[in-house]
Amino acid sequence: MTSISTALGTALITGASTGIGAIYADRFAARGYDLILVARNKDKLQSLAAQISDKTGRTVEVLDADLGKAADLARVEKVLRDDASVTVLVNNAGIGTHATLLESDVEKMDAMIQLNVTALMRLTYAAVPGMVARGGGTVINIASIVAVAPELLNGVYGGTKAFVQAFTTSLNHELSAQGIRAQAVLPGATRTDFWALGGLPVEHLPSEIVMQAEDMVDAALSGLDQGETSTIPALRDVELWNAFEAARAALAPQLSATHSAPRFNVAV
Ligand code: NAP
């Protein structure tokens, strides 16, 4: 199929070779975006790219890069800085584990931070100034429910996802007036290779807490369309999240003061 250039622009999606990222690729192409797909496995990227461009007629480029390696990351940053067609960045590549501090290797934790935090941050810094200069753009950052429930899995993984949630909140605060739409997506357990790679195959989880990746991504995109800045696909009672955010806002006026609070009994 020949591609017709799109006014919607290009979505650059990291971790697009499989799992959640591959579904985002399918859905953004179906919405009429051209794609740049990033991950390490070039064969998988190329086969997905061919499949999507055959189905939709969209232009799909692949960029094989290990986002845990500075030189590869810099190549992707350069594309984001130089390619003015990019209107959407989906920061999806990520790894995790359920292992506790005493069970896990600190070098692996460091590598997790490089991918889940440093790469996501650097790619956002590469993409956003150009988006602002061109009048706007969308950044979708894949966090996790462990951003607000770090007790569920590995603590470093929870910390990386809390970073993603906080960073996305700040992006909206700083740049929504300049046309940047940022969404943090907080999936619960989703049926992908993520679990097996982290040492706990998804079949070991109770099936009633595991969502299909297609359902997860379609709900997240619906949340984006509805203007949500944080989306928890599984959350039925959205008032719980609204109350959580209201409590955070209520804390704000009391978070910094000349004197410590009376309950600490500090004489000044
Ligand atoms: P997945 O099936 O394991 O896919 C991860 C993707 O990231 C793959 O495309 C992988 O491709 C890519 N990737 C991994 N390391 C990379 C690296 N160093 N450089 C570049 N790309 C890399 O996992 P998933 O479930 O789709 O996870 C996607 C995101 O969702 C992650 O951020 C994860 O934390 C988050 N999440 C997942 C769940 C869940 O239950 N599955 C729940 C909450 C949040 P290559 O191997 O080809 O590089």
Side-chain angles (χ1 to χ4, degrees):
M1 239 187 238
T2 39
S3 110
I4 308 152
S5 74
T6 168
L8 293 169
T10 301
L12 186 145
I13 303 166
T14 70
S17 62
T18 185
I20 291 167
I23 309 289
Y24 267 107
D26 178 78
R27 299 312 195 249
F28 270 108
R31 285 178 173 220
Y33 289 80
D34 292 330
L35 302 176
I36 301 174
L37 307 180
V38 181
R40 292 167 303 181
N41 189 321
K42 194 173 185 180
D43 290 345
K44 277 194 191 171
L45 286 176
Q46 282 174 333
S47 120
L48 182 68
Q51 193 190 311
I52 291 177
S53 62
D54 283 354
K55 190 164 96 177
T56 64
R58 302 267 45 104
T59 299
V60 187
E61 287 174 30
V62 308
L63 209 53
D64 57 310
D66 183 341
L67 298 175
K69 293 191 174 146
D72 282 17
L73 180 55
R75 273 197 292 123
V76 185
E77 287 176 59
K78 183 165 165 38
V79 169
L80 286 168
R81 274 194 302 270
D82 294 350
D83 186 341
S85 78
V86 175
T87 50
V88 176
L89 168 63
V90 184
N91 276 310
N92 163 75
I95 48 173
T97 179
H98 66 291
T100 65
L101 186 150
L102 294 179
E103 293 163 351
S104 46
D105 167 18
V106 71
E107 300 306 333
K108 287 191 176 166
M109 299 297 104
D110 197 42
M112 189 196 306
I113 292 170
Q114 289 299 319
L115 181 62
N116 295 10
V117 173
T118 305
L120 178 143
M121 177 279 290
R122 293 196 67 101
L123 295 179
T124 305
Y125 266 71
V128 161
M131 287 177 171
V132 168
R134 296 189 293 273
T138 301
V139 180
I140 298 172
N141 288 330
I142 308 302
S144 161
I145 54 165
V146 300
V148 292
E151 299 90 342
L152 290 176
L153 295 172
N154 169 271
V156 178
Y157 181 59
T160 66
K161 296 304 186 178
F163 171 90
V164 175
Q165 167 66 15
F167 183 51
T168 309
T169 301
S170 170
L171 269 178
N172 277 311
H173 172 70
E174 291 183 8
L175 291 168
S176 62
Q178 286 165 267
I180 299 297
R181 294 199 52 199
Q183 180 198 30
V185 178
L186 284 68
T190 309
R191 192 173 299 281
T192 69
D193 297 343
F194 168 90
W195 290 92
L197 290 169
L200 178 68
V202 72
E203 294 72 27
H204 294 219
L205 301 179
S207 62
E208 63 272 18
I209 66 157
V210 181
M211 195 178 287
Q212 293 296 121
E214 290 82 357
D215 190 357
M216 200 297 284
V217 172
D218 288 336
L221 284 169
S222 170
L224 180 75
D225 294 340
Q226 292 174 44
E228 289 190 357
T229 52
S230 295
T231 296
I232 302 180
L235 184 66
R236 286 175 180 274
D237 185 357
V238 75
E239 284 310 318
L240 289 173
W241 180 262
N242 295 340
F244 182 75
E245 281 293 290
R248 206 168 67 78
L251 280 169
Q254 293 197 41
L255 293 176
S256 191
T258 321
H259 299 297
S260 57
R263 74 178 181 287
F264 298 116
N265 299 314
V266 178
V268 282

